[in-house]
Amino acid sequence: MGREIQFTSNYSDLSTNQGFQFEFTCDRCGTGYRTEFKTWKTGTISSALDTASSLFGGVFGAAAEVGEKVRSAAWQKAHDEAFEAAITEIKPHFRQCPRCSSWVCAKSCWNQKRGLCKGCAPDLGVEMSAAQASRSVEEVWSHAAMASEDKKLAQENWRETIVASCPECGEPLAVNAKFCPNCGHKLKSSDQCPKCGAKIQPNAKFCAECGTKVGG
């Protein structure tokens, strides 16, 4: 009994008569991983026979016809073997979410801490940054609609900048961190008031805008 080949739906078969190649794609972000092209030697021989047949006919044509019949079975066997090898090669780059069953790339779309894809368990730092950006847009429109004497934004609005990824190394941030867990880059700016967001002058002990204590 032949062995069964387990496969997923997130792949494209780029194989030709001359060899085998496959492309696997993340169901969430679309990032693709393509295997190296593996030449099929029999396909090269068959191609040469087909060329000879078109040029000379006769015995070459008969040889090409035989080669095509052999190729149909041999190609499929070699294709299956190449497909199995491609799955083994690519599998470490993907994770299957136990909640939605999607196959996602381990690098960008897998929440290692939660054991789920980021579609089911988004990074909190990313969501906080997105929510902050959305609220900032709402504030801009609301602020623009105010009368000139009322255009000072309320102090209860969010002021602390929350980043979704490290500006130094690009690592996604799962939480609102002070330092990047990957490269140690400082994420919090110390030149802004934590309450109102006003720029703090060097060596200042209090915010000149709202009076909040910011120095030792």
Side-chain angles (χ1 to χ4, degrees):
M1 180 181 294
R3 63 182 182 278
E4 297 179 343
I5 302 175
Q6 183 181 12
F7 64 94
T8 64
S9 61
N10 63 322
Y11 79 95
S12 298
D13 191 342
L14 308 179
S15 302
T16 67
N17 287 343
Q18 280 69 50
F20 311 104
Q21 188 173 43
F22 305 90
E23 188 173 81
F24 297 80
T25 307
C26 173
D27 285 333
R28 182 172 182 267
C29 73
T31 297
Y33 292 86
R34 181 178 295 178
T35 61
E36 184 179 357
F37 185 82
K38 304 292 185 182
T39 302
W40 185 49
K41 295 181 179 180
T42 306
T44 304
I45 296 172
S46 177
S47 179
L49 289 174
D50 290 341
T51 302
S53 172
S54 64
L55 292 175
F56 302 106
V59 66
F60 287 103
E65 183 178 354
V66 173
E68 181 67 21
K69 292 180 180 179
V70 173
R71 184 185 67 80
S72 61
W75 184 92
Q76 188 61 56
K77 182 177 183 298
H79 177 271
D80 288 347
E81 292 174 350
F83 188 34
E84 276 192 291
I87 292 174
T88 301
E89 176 186 342
I90 292 296
K91 199 168 185 178
H93 297 291
F94 287 86
R95 302 287 186 274
Q96 185 175 28
C97 179
R99 183 173 184 269
C100 67
S101 297
S102 296
W103 284 92
V104 300
C105 58
K107 181 180 180 181
S108 301
C109 296
W110 181 251
N111 190 325
Q112 184 66 32
K113 184 177 180 180
R114 299 294 182 182
L116 296 168
C117 75
K118 290 184 180 179
C120 295
D123 281 334
L124 296 183
V126 174
E127 295 303 304
M128 290 171 67
S129 185
Q132 183 188 45
S134 177
R135 182 157 179 171
S136 295
V137 172
E138 293 175 2
E139 287 182 355
V140 170
W141 283 101
S142 177
H143 179 64
M146 290 180 183
S148 59
E149 65 271 15
D150 295 325
K151 285 191 174 181
K152 184 176 181 180
L153 296 178
Q155 290 185 355
E156 65 268 22
N157 290 331
W158 294 357
R159 294 296 184 184
E160 180 189 357
T161 298
I162 302 171
V163 295
S165 60
C166 175
E168 185 68 20
C169 68
E171 181 75 9
L173 302 173
V175 296
N176 182 22
K178 294 182 179 180
F179 296 90
C180 174
N182 184 57
C183 70
H185 180 73
K186 187 175 182 180
L187 302 171
K188 300 294 183 181
S189 175
S190 59
D191 62 350
Q192 290 182 327
C193 174
K195 185 174 182 180
C196 72
K199 185 175 180 62
I200 302 298
Q201 297 301 320
N203 302 320
K205 295 183 178 181
F206 296 89
C207 173
E209 183 71 23
C210 68
T212 299
K213 187 175 181 180
V214 294

